[in-house]
Amino acid sequence: MTAAGRVRAEASAAWRSFTRRRTAVFFTFFFPVILILIFAVLVQTNPGGGGLFAQPPGYYLPGYLAVVVLFTPLSRVGSEVARHREGNRFEKLATTPLGRAEWLLAHTLVNVAIIGIAGLLILGLMALVTGTASLALGPATLALVAAFVAFAVALFCGFGAVLGGLADSQDGVIAASNTVALPLLFLSDTFVSPGLLPAWFRPAMNLSPLTYFARGVRDLTYRPGAVGADASSVGSLAGWEANLAVLVVLTLVFFAAGAYAIPRTD
């Protein structure tokens, strides 16, 4: 069997395993709905009024996407690696032609598909409940946003594999992923704009991979000319191209680290 065939077979098995877990399927897609209903409908935004949600609704689209791009791969891949370790499955996989990088690629492809569906759900809900006055969502833009999502998912799949390789149990993976994800979510130019943070901390935002995802998506989709928008807070690099380039490089690094962290045997 070729490498492509091995990856396809493992991805097919991983997809069937996911769809059989009805609770996981429900909350994977229902969580974005809850998130948008709470923050975009109940809390709403207050352009020009100061505070956490002081930008137009379109400004926070990268934040909503970042939630599923960040949390889902970290927890799913990390837990999967920990589950395989506890069940001595990597010892069995070591006797097959399937390599560690191929195993991780297969599970990454499944996560890209899952989070791609969740991302489309988020875009649809945003357009439905907040309108598109501060969003630019043409076909070319959507294709580029899909590229950002795919690379970011691959990056955090690699990160999740590292956590799964280091943690001693599934509970440990969940605790570690939440400890990593929560600070990244709010300190990566997603929901909290740089202007609300101390000046000395703002350069540290560039250390977060999620920052380049959020800024790139925002540069593509957000119209800073909307009423109440703070144009100075839109992307600190030279447009979405630079953010995508950095994200691609980081994805390769984290994916390689994740493949290396997957144990050959238990």
Side-chain angles (χ1 to χ4, degrees):
M1 182 181 290
T2 65
R6 294 193 296 270
V7 171
R8 183 168 58 250
E10 179 65 23
S12 177
W15 176 262
R16 290 195 301 271
S17 175
F18 168 72
T19 55
R20 283 197 298 264
R21 300 169 187 166
R22 296 181 181 179
T23 302
V25 173
F26 177 77
F27 283 103
T28 296
F29 298 117
F30 188 61
F31 182 62
V33 175
I34 296 176
L35 190 73
I36 292 178
L37 290 178
I38 291 175
F39 290 103
V41 178
L42 297 180
V43 177
Q44 298 186 353
T45 61
N46 184 24
L52 182 59
F53 290 93
Q55 300 288 347
Y59 180 90
Y60 300 102
L61 174 61
Y64 298 131
L65 290 174
V67 173
V68 291
V69 162
L70 174 62
F71 280 89
T72 303
L74 276 181
S75 61
R76 290 196 75 252
V77 174
S79 296
E80 196 69 20
V81 171
R83 188 181 302 114
H84 274 56
R85 290 177 60 194
E86 292 175 0
N88 296 322
R89 297 181 188 176
F90 285 119
E91 190 172 74
K92 299 173 184 177
L93 285 175
T95 64
T96 71
L98 186 69
R100 293 181 293 178
E102 293 171 347
W103 184 93
L104 182 57
L105 176 59
H107 287 263
T108 297
L109 292 174
V110 172
N111 277 276
V112 168
I114 293 170
I115 297 166
I117 297 171
L120 289 175
L121 179 61
I122 289 173
L123 289 172
L125 284 173
M126 282 288 292
L128 179 65
V129 303
T130 67
T132 58
S134 58
L135 291 174
L137 296 176
T141 298
L142 290 176
L144 289 169
V145 170
F148 270 94
V149 169
F151 281 110
V153 170
L155 188 155
F156 289 110
C157 282
F159 201 164
V162 172
L163 295 180
L166 295 176
D168 56 0
S169 66
Q170 292 185 55
D171 291 338
V173 169
I174 294 173
S177 63
N178 288 335
T179 301
V180 170
L182 283 173
L184 285 182
L185 180 62
F186 291 102
L187 300 177
S188 300
D189 203 357
T190 51
F191 294 105
V192 181
S193 61
L196 297 177
L197 296 172
W200 61 265
F201 182 81
R202 294 171 195 168
M205 299 176 73
N206 295 321
L207 300 177
S208 168
L210 194 63
T211 295
Y212 302 99
F213 169 80
R215 288 175 177 170
V217 172
R218 185 170 293 122
D219 285 333
L220 284 168
T221 63
Y222 178 53
R223 294 172 178 169
V227 177
D230 179 9
S232 65
S233 65
V234 182
S236 63
L237 294 180
W240 63 266
E241 297 95 337
N243 287 290
L244 182 59
V246 174
L247 187 63
V248 169
V249 172
L250 291 175
T251 298
L252 295 175
V253 172
F254 275 87
F255 187 89
Y260 181 79
I262 295 173
R264 293 183 183 272
T265 58
D266 301 291

